[in-house]
Amino acid sequence: MSRAPQLRAILGTALVAVIVVLVNYISARRFERFDLTHDQLFTLSERSKVLLKQLDKPVDLYVFLSSGEQSYAELKELIARYRSQSDKLTPYFVDPDREPARFKLLAEKYGLRAAAQENGQTEAELAALVVSGDKRWSITRDDLVDVDFDSLEGGKRGEGAKVNVKTEQALSGAIVQVTSGRATTVCVSEGHGEWSLTDSADRSLAATKEELKRENVELTAIETRNKGELGKGCDAIFVLGPQKAFADEETAALSRYLDAGGNLLLALDPVIDGEQVAITGLEALVQKHGITLHRDVLVELDREHLLSPSPVEAALVTSFGDHALVRSMAALRAPVVVQVARTLGVGDGATALLDATNKAYGELNLGRISAGDELKPSEGSTQPPIHLAALADSKPKTDQGDPLGGRLIVIGDSEWISPQALQQPQLANVDLLASFTGYLTEREAMIAIAPRKIDAQAMMITEDGLFGLFLRVVLLMPLAALVLGVGVWWQRRT
């Protein structure tokens, strides 16, 4: 009988060991990580997941940050998440200060430079280098993170600067850059007062070129006049903010390009002609694909969605359609800003992408806007739901595998690609640009990655607060442990 407790102890210990082994085996086979941070800092975007799953060639990543630098921990954690998605990515951590010989070999191989800092340490000019075959892409420290100190101005007490962690954005963009077989070419129409590729132009696409350059997308100008056929060498054609109407022959050429499987983006502002919106010459083309161009101007009456007192100037769009193209942006909860936009009608075969609020409407009588009258919906105005962007996708295949048509996106504004809008991290305009471009060039991995926004909250402690902290930590907590210990001792003694 005396052996029974010992047997139970042995069996209990063996059972616990078996449970531990099984738990470890299951966790190894079904590895799962949970992100409990407020800003979801440790969750990969869908774009990065798609990119890594499609990775079919080895990529080497050289990190030249020391362990004490600001972005080191974030980058190391991100690389671990990337590695969990694909074994094609191989990281190498090289500290130029602690491993000068190793860094020198890499510097000679890739043409890198290092500089001595004020503290005497050696620091590489780059934060990281991504290499695949004979292609390489550099990542600087500014590409990884920036701090918006302007957010401190006029902020509430206790609010700190906004820290924009762009590590995933930079790394995924670099991988796209070195693994794409060739640069994707987007042709931008000219000759109608559109946004220009010339840097010195009033409406320059310099910011757009810079953003798309990281995605291995090149912009080139295309003339649509006197062209029987369009689209040779173009993965997509963008028409961005024309101020003059397209001729019938130009519209016919664009329509043939689209019907033959080409991809087209039309960003069409409401061009004011007296007291009405001028025609674009593209009305019949978009109507053929289930989208109507209204000759009106958006009036947003929800003041929470305005950036200025005027209801027609700059409006924030927070309502996204149910389509993969914008679904990830809806999850980001960041608005898109449009300025002096027109509304669209969405019929059969088309899908709405961006909507204004239910308080918005489309004003046809522009005389009421210029007269400064109180704006409210009237008879004949465009009523909710108010659509601002829509797409029509005619890419189904025939039995022979030929496409029946291409992809068309129409948005009733072009100012959303202005440098001011693209460079604001709190807006999703740059995400919209990447998503539109990726969808139209059929590169699904270009679903946008927004910077992770962190509130760097400052902790302010007064002298009274410091004394209270000292009282609780240094005196009360040890005293509580002492009282608990005395109580346990007294209980055992009695």
Side-chain angles (χ1 to χ4, degrees):
M1 295 296 294
S2 61
R3 293 183 178 180
Q6 295 179 356
L7 182 60
R8 285 197 297 269
I10 293 173
L11 291 176
T13 303
L15 181 60
V16 169
V18 170
I19 293 174
V20 170
V21 171
L22 290 176
V23 168
N24 277 274
Y25 174 77
I26 295 173
S27 63
R29 293 293 301 271
R30 298 185 177 273
F31 177 72
E32 187 67 36
R33 303 176 65 173
F34 299 95
D35 186 358
L36 302 180
T37 60
H38 176 270
D39 297 290
Q40 294 294 289
L41 293 178
F42 305 110
T43 300
L44 283 180
S45 68
E46 288 302 318
R47 170 192 167 186
S48 293
K49 291 179 181 178
V50 171
L51 172 65
L52 293 168
K53 288 178 181 178
Q54 294 178 349
L55 202 59
D56 58 357
K57 59 181 67 175
V59 176
D60 293 331
L61 170 61
Y62 297 93
V63 179
F64 302 118
L65 298 176
S66 65
S67 58
E69 289 197 55
Q70 177 184 10
S71 302
Y72 179 84
E74 164 67 20
L75 183 55
K76 187 175 182 179
E77 167 63 27
L78 179 66
I79 292 172
R81 282 176 273 152
Y82 276 50
R83 289 280 295 164
S84 68
Q85 298 289 327
S86 174
D87 59 359
K88 297 291 186 180
L89 181 67
T90 305
Y92 301 93
F93 293 87
V94 182
D95 187 338
D97 189 64
R98 296 187 177 184
E99 302 174 282
R102 186 182 177 196
F103 176 76
K104 183 179 180 181
L105 292 175
L106 291 172
E108 292 176 353
K109 182 178 180 180
Y110 296 114
L112 306 177
R113 291 181 298 176
Q117 303 301 305
E118 294 181 357
N119 56 11
Q121 292 184 339
T122 301
E123 189 175 272
E125 62 175 346
L126 300 178
L129 181 70
V130 181
V131 180
S132 180
D134 59 350
K135 294 184 179 181
R136 66 191 69 169
W137 189 256
S138 302
I139 299 176
T140 68
R141 287 168 176 79
D142 290 338
D143 291 333
L144 299 179
V145 66
D146 65 58
V147 182
D148 180 14
F149 290 103
D150 292 337
S151 61
L152 289 170
E153 299 178 5
K156 298 178 181 179
R157 183 174 180 177
E159 289 188 351
K162 304 296 183 181
V163 180
N164 302 309
V165 180
K166 304 182 295 182
T167 314
E168 183 182 353
Q169 187 181 41
L171 185 52
S172 289
I175 293 174
V176 170
Q177 188 74 21
V178 300
T179 56
S180 298
R182 64 172 179 84
T184 300
T185 300
V186 170
C187 298
V188 181
S189 70
E190 62 178 10
H192 310 84
E194 298 97 328
W195 286 76
S196 174
L197 291 174
T198 304
D199 293 346
S200 59
D202 291 337
R203 297 201 301 169
S204 172
L205 289 171
T208 302
K209 287 193 297 183
E210 184 64 26
E211 292 295 340
L212 294 181
K213 179 182 177 182
R214 291 194 172 279
E215 304 290 354
N216 205 18
V217 175
E218 295 180 354
L219 300 184
T220 184
I222 183 175
E223 178 62 59
T224 57
R225 295 181 185 274
N226 302 319
K227 298 287 185 180
E229 185 178 355
L230 294 175
K232 286 186 176 180
C234 303
D235 292 288
I237 294 178
F238 285 7
V239 178
L240 304 174
Q243 301 299 299
K244 299 177 182 178
F246 278 68
D248 291 342
E249 61 178 25
E250 296 176 284
T251 302
L254 286 172
S255 182
R256 288 193 297 270
Y257 165 75
L258 187 60
D259 291 342
N263 303 304
L264 182 62
L265 169 65
L266 302 177
L268 305 175
D269 303 289
V271 179
I272 309 303
D273 181 14
E275 294 187 355
Q276 62 181 354
V277 174
I279 62 172
T280 65
L282 301 169
E283 284 77 6
L285 186 154
V286 301
Q287 186 70 54
K288 177 182 175 182
H289 295 273
I291 302 173
T292 303
L293 286 176
H294 292 155
R295 297 176 65 182
D296 61 8
V297 172
L298 170 69
V299 178
E300 179 58 79
L301 298 180
D302 189 339
R303 296 189 177 277
E304 294 185 356
H305 286 72
L306 295 176
L307 292 180
S308 70
S310 172
V312 300
E313 289 292 337
L316 296 174
V317 180
T318 58
S319 180
F320 300 91
D322 185 19
H323 192 276
L325 177 60
V326 292
R327 197 170 295 139
S328 60
M329 279 178 284
L332 294 173
R333 300 179 182 177
V336 171
V337 64
V338 297
Q339 302 183 54
V340 192
R342 75 189 320 146
T343 72
L344 307 175
V346 178
D348 294 338
T351 303
L353 297 177
L354 301 178
D355 290 343
T357 70
N358 290 330
K359 295 182 179 180
Y361 74 98
E363 181 59 66
L364 291 167
N365 185 1
L366 304 188
R368 297 185 60 201
I369 297 177
S370 59
D373 297 338
E374 181 182 356
L375 296 176
K376 57 183 178 180
S378 59
E379 185 177 355
S381 61
T382 307
Q383 301 296 323
I386 299 298
H387 307 302
L388 302 176
L391 70 84
D393 190 346
S394 304
K395 279 291 185 183
K397 307 294 183 179
T398 64
D399 294 339
Q400 291 75 30
D402 299 323
L404 296 175
R407 293 175 172 178
L408 169 67
I409 294 179
V410 183
I411 180 170
D413 174 53
S414 70
E415 293 291 335
W416 63 276
I417 59 170
S418 66
Q420 297 82 1
L422 294 180
Q423 294 167 3
Q424 292 293 328
Q426 67 269 29
L427 299 177
N429 288 51
V430 68
D431 307 324
L432 192 68
L433 174 64
S435 292
F436 277 6
T437 305
Y439 187 77
L440 291 175
T441 58
E442 302 183 48
R443 289 173 52 188
E444 309 302 336
M446 279 184 63
I447 299 172
I449 303 174
R452 308 289 186 179
K453 300 174 177 64
I454 309 172
D455 292 338
Q457 304 290 348
M459 184 175 66
M460 302 177 62
I461 302 179
T462 63
E463 292 186 2
D464 292 340
L466 187 61
F467 174 75
L469 185 64
F470 173 81
L471 184 66
R472 292 177 177 84
V473 176
V474 179
L475 296 180
L476 294 183
M477 290 180 65
L479 182 61
L482 178 61
V483 171
L484 181 62
V486 170
V488 172
W489 170 80
W490 182 261
Q491 183 180 17
R492 289 183 176 180
R493 182 175 181 276
T494 56

